[in-house]
């Protein structure tokens, strides 16, 4: 449903606000396309933004998160052999207001929502009270959880963007706060695994721990792009 909504808004925005001739004549920008130059979130993101008659903008943003290790270095050392690898994707729609509304530049703030889906492989020691997991450990004393995490994304963002009137070059910096609703399900691999395998269903305690860990984060970012 989220994907259909984003596609519909993109079509309306393209038909209603794509006026390059008028924009060039008045120094107004109708559309921006930006990519992350530096991203703490380590995701591959693209953003298309449309000017709403200088009153604000509507943006469609998609990102792909290649597999990465979620545990910090100190956690990896402390929990020898543990690993939490995640990958996924996210789609988002955002509204923003700018101090230079015609160019979608200057100081700005934005609010948005969307949908995120992650796949996670968690190698860990069994939870102390999960009696059904004991005896299923591998040779290193670890069990493996494979889960899919999905839910709604909410984000608030503030920053500054420079937009060149003549060349159309765009560079900006912002700080975002993202909050995720996480619904966790065992992957199909778990359902098909051997009952004596170390690949087991996630325990409710570990499910809560994982949900809290992936719930909120602060994301600084530097973006570059082009305006039209």
């Amino acid at each position: 449903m989220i994907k259909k909504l984003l596609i519909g808004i993109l079509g309306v925005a393209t038909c209603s606000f794509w006026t390059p001739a008028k924009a060039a004549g008045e120094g107004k920008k109708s559309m921006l396309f930006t990519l992350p130059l530096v991203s703490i979130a380590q995701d591959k993101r693209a953003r298309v933004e449309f000017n709403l008659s200088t009153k604000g903008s509507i943006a469609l943003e998609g990102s792909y998160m290649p597999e990465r290790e979620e545990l910090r270095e100190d956690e990896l050392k402390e929990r020898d052999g543990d690993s939490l690898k995640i990958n996924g994707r996210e789609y988002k729609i955002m509204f923003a207001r700018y101090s230079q509304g015609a160019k979608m530049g200057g100081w700005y703030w934005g609010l948005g929502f969307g949908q995120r889906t992650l796949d996670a492989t968690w190698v860990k020691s069994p939870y102390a009270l999960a009696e059904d997991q004991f005896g299923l450990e591998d040779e290193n004393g670890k069990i493996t959880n494979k889960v899919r995490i999905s839910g709604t994304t909410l984000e608030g963002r503030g920053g500054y963007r420079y937009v060149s009137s003549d060349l159309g070059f765009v560079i900006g910096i912002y700080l975002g706060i993202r909050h995720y609703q996480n619904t966790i399900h065992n992957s199909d691999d778990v359902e098909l695994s051997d009952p004596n395998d170390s690949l087991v269903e996630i325990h409710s305690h570990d499910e809560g721990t994982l949900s809290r860990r992936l719930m909120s984060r602060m994301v600084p970012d530097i973006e570059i792009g082009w305006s039209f």
Side-chain angles (χ1 to χ4, degrees):
M1 181 177 179
I2 294 290
K3 291 182 181 179
K4 292 181 179 179
L5 175 62
L6 296 182
I7 292 171
I9 292 175
L10 176 59
V12 172
T14 303
C15 293
S16 301
F17 303 109
W18 178 245
T19 55
K22 181 179 178 181
E26 299 178 359
K28 173 187 170 186
K29 303 300 181 181
S30 294
M31 185 181 77
L32 298 178
F33 175 75
T34 57
L35 296 168
L37 178 62
V38 177
S39 177
I40 302 300
Q42 300 177 349
D43 53 1
K44 311 298 182 182
R45 177 177 52 79
R47 177 184 176 97
V48 180
E49 194 164 351
F50 300 91
N51 200 329
L52 300 178
S53 301
T54 75
K55 302 299 183 183
S57 72
I58 196 78
L60 305 179
E61 191 171 295
S63 60
Y64 167 70
M65 292 157 273
E67 186 175 80
R68 68 172 185 265
E69 178 60 61
E70 182 69 18
L71 297 182
R72 302 186 306 271
E73 288 188 13
D74 60 309
E75 293 176 310
L76 292 172
K77 292 179 180 178
E78 180 183 347
R79 310 170 192 175
D80 185 32
D82 281 20
S83 174
L84 176 56
K85 294 185 177 180
I86 63 172
N87 66 85
R89 57 195 178 277
E90 183 178 349
Y91 304 97
K92 190 183 310 172
I93 181 171
M94 296 194 73
F95 173 78
R97 292 293 300 270
Y98 295 88
S99 60
Q100 301 170 12
K103 297 195 300 181
M104 292 183 284
W107 296 102
Y108 73 94
W109 59 266
L111 295 172
F113 74 95
Q115 178 78 15
R116 181 183 72 165
T117 302
L118 298 176
D119 291 310
T121 301
W122 194 6
V123 178
K124 60 184 292 297
S125 299
Y127 174 52
L129 300 181
E131 297 181 358
D132 58 329
Q133 294 182 352
F134 291 105
L136 300 178
E137 303 95 325
D138 61 19
E139 62 274 12
N140 298 314
K142 304 294 182 180
I143 59 169
T144 301
N145 297 141
K146 282 192 174 183
V147 296
R148 170 154 289 188
I149 307 158
S150 59
T152 303
T153 302
L154 298 175
E155 180 173 355
R157 183 181 294 182
Y160 183 86
R161 178 189 287 157
Y162 169 77
V163 181
S164 171
S165 298
D166 299 325
L167 301 178
F169 177 72
V170 175
I171 186 168
I173 184 170
Y174 68 81
L175 179 64
I177 300 177
R178 299 176 185 174
H179 181 77
Y180 300 99
Q181 177 192 33
N182 295 314
T183 301
I184 300 176
H185 300 284
N186 291 289
S187 72
D188 293 339
D189 291 343
V190 177
E191 304 295 335
L192 299 174
S193 66
D194 189 297
N196 297 317
D197 196 355
S198 61
L199 180 59
V200 300
E201 292 187 0
I202 189 168
H203 190 274
S204 58
H205 175 272
D206 295 329
E207 185 177 322
T209 299
L210 186 59
S211 178
R212 289 189 295 273
R213 184 184 188 100
L214 300 175
M215 184 175 292
S216 300
R217 61 182 54 194
M218 189 173 293
V219 184
D221 207 345
I222 300 175
E223 61 181 4
I224 59 173
W226 207 260
S227 62
F228 303 89

